[in-house]
Amino acid sequence: MFNYQGKNVVVVGGTNGINLGIACAFAKVGANVAVASRNMDKVNTALALLQQTNPKGKHIGVSFDVRDSDAVASGFNSIADQYNTIDILISGAAGNFPSRAKDLSVNGFKSVMDIDLLGSFQVIKQAYPLLTKGNASVIQISAPQAYVPMALQVHVCAAKAGVDMLTRTLAMEWGVEGIRVNSIVPGPIEETEGFDRLAPSKALKSMIADSVPLKRNGQKQDIANAALFLASDMASYITGTILPVDGGWSLGGAGAAMDALAKHLPQ
Ligand code: COA
Ligand code: NAP
């Protein structure tokens, strides 16, 4: 259905979970894929998986912390050495842990803001000079927390709301250059670190599934499919969109489900 042969895709935070699923989905349809994250072992494991998925692709692994501007700049320099241009940028690095606002230190709040919001800006800013003018796609990985207030998530709600405003603002500024900027909003996704942290037991996961209108939690492939579509020519008139891929969770069930979930944590 999709052909990304010869396209250069960079997935920041692409060495695990949802973002690794996206990286592999692009590799599977012919793309060259670069992945970046902090941990070099994770980078190497992801790289091996990409090579296995698409042996003909030119895949790259780089290590940086999105909070370190020099490291991000140097990571993108290494990517530029191998790919002259970037067709698709996925910005998905994030941090999350459940905490009541009263128990969250200022530094805990700041850590998530620094990774999710400032880190995303840093990544997109460094990638900008390399983006193929006329036909590039930037996709940020947001979360329902961006527009649904949730218990235990004050830091993530504030950060992801900012991420979506980055998306909308950059879409305004960069449309004239043929750069589309969109957000994908995953719902609760099975077998991921993010979901395990919020709903650490099978019982809590099925309680969440029950609060989703489609009555199931999502799969990594659900998010990868949306990324393949949004980056494609089929979506060439779509920019500045915040696309929920959440089974309808953010229509109403999400806030109430997190309220219920909070009762399972010690006060
Ligand atoms: N509850 C409350 N506060 C917490 C916390 C928790 N579970 N985990 C970390 N914090 C606080 C720390 O106490 C610290 O604040 P302090 O200095 O006032 O004590 C602050 O957050 C930074 O913690 P630290 O462990 O030094 O951060 P880090 O930079 O090494 O890691 C995190 C960043 C905390 C976001 C870490 O969980 C991480 O790396 N996450 C990436 C993976 C992930 O979250 N995946 C899900 C994506 S949705
Ligand atoms: P994950 O498995 O924890 O993956 C996070 C990735 O980001 C890892 O590759 C991690 O690798 C990297 N990363 C973390 N901090 C980083 C930093 N400071 N600098 C560079 N890289 C960093 O997460 P996930 O659960 O799949 O979530 C992926 C994305 O989807 C996130 O943006 C999250 O907010 C969003 N989301 C997830 C869910 C869900 O159900 N899981 C729901 C809604 C939204 P290193 O450790 O090597 O750095």
Side-chain angles (χ1 to χ4, degrees):
M1 192 173 179
F2 295 104
N3 184 356
Y4 280 91
Q5 201 84 38
K7 295 284 186 187
N8 298 328
V9 181
V10 176
V11 188
V12 176
T15 63
N16 208 42
I18 291 173
N19 304 322
L20 178 57
I22 294 172
C24 287
F26 277 103
K28 210 169 177 174
V29 292
N32 305 313
V33 182
V35 285
S37 80
R38 293 167 299 178
N39 181 315
M40 201 60 212
D41 289 341
K42 279 196 205 168
V43 170
N44 287 332
T45 307
L47 198 52
L49 189 59
L50 290 169
Q51 261 141 10
Q52 198 183 317
T53 306
N54 171 13
K56 289 190 184 146
K58 186 173 172 187
H59 308 304
I60 308 171
V62 289
S63 162
F64 57 72
D65 188 321
V66 296
R67 292 169 287 187
D68 179 342
S69 47
D70 291 344
V72 177
S74 135
F76 274 94
N77 282 339
S78 323
I79 291 170
D81 285 345
Q82 308 229 34
Y83 301 162
N84 286 324
T85 54
I86 298 172
D87 299 297
I88 294 142
L89 171 72
I90 313 284
S91 173
N96 191 3
F97 49 81
S99 175
R100 291 188 171 81
K102 71 179 173 61
D103 301 325
L104 181 64
S105 69
V106 169
N107 194 42
F109 185 92
K110 182 176 181 296
S111 296
V112 171
M113 292 296 281
D114 283 351
I115 300 169
D116 293 25
L117 180 52
L118 198 56
S120 297
F121 181 65
Q122 203 132 251
V123 161
I124 296 173
K125 200 171 156 54
Q126 288 300 336
Y128 170 77
L130 301 172
L131 291 172
T132 321
K133 305 300 179 289
N135 188 19
S137 168
V138 175
I139 298 175
Q140 298 215 77
I141 308 303
S142 182
Q145 285 88 329
Y147 48 90
V148 179
M150 286 187 195
L152 314 174
Q153 293 284 274
V154 66
H155 44 330
V156 178
C157 290
K160 292 290 195 181
V163 164
D164 282 352
M165 253 345 235
L166 273 185
T167 290
R168 287 152 56 84
T169 312
L170 296 176
M172 286 281 286
E173 275 196 27
W174 293 351
V176 67
E177 294 179 74
I179 302 171
R180 297 185 295 110
V181 188
N182 293 290
S183 286
I184 291 176
V185 178
I189 304 301
E190 290 286 357
E191 293 173 24
T192 62
E193 179 71 28
F195 192 32
D196 283 350
R197 285 182 180 212
L198 293 185
S201 71
K202 215 171 161 190
L204 291 177
K205 285 187 174 72
S206 53
M207 184 184 93
I208 298 287
D210 210 42
S211 69
V212 175
L214 289 182
K215 298 297 166 201
R216 70 168 175 91
N217 294 320
Q219 301 296 321
K220 285 174 265 198
Q221 191 63 46
D222 292 318
I223 309 306
N225 291 344
L228 289 172
F229 164 69
L230 264 188
S232 76
D233 289 343
M234 287 170 83
S236 63
Y237 204 50
I238 301 179
T239 196
T241 290
I242 313 300
L243 176 66
V245 183
D246 69 348
W249 198 46
S250 54
L251 293 174
M258 285 300 290
D259 249 10
L261 201 141
K263 295 192 179 78
H264 292 266
L265 276 194
Q267 289 301 313

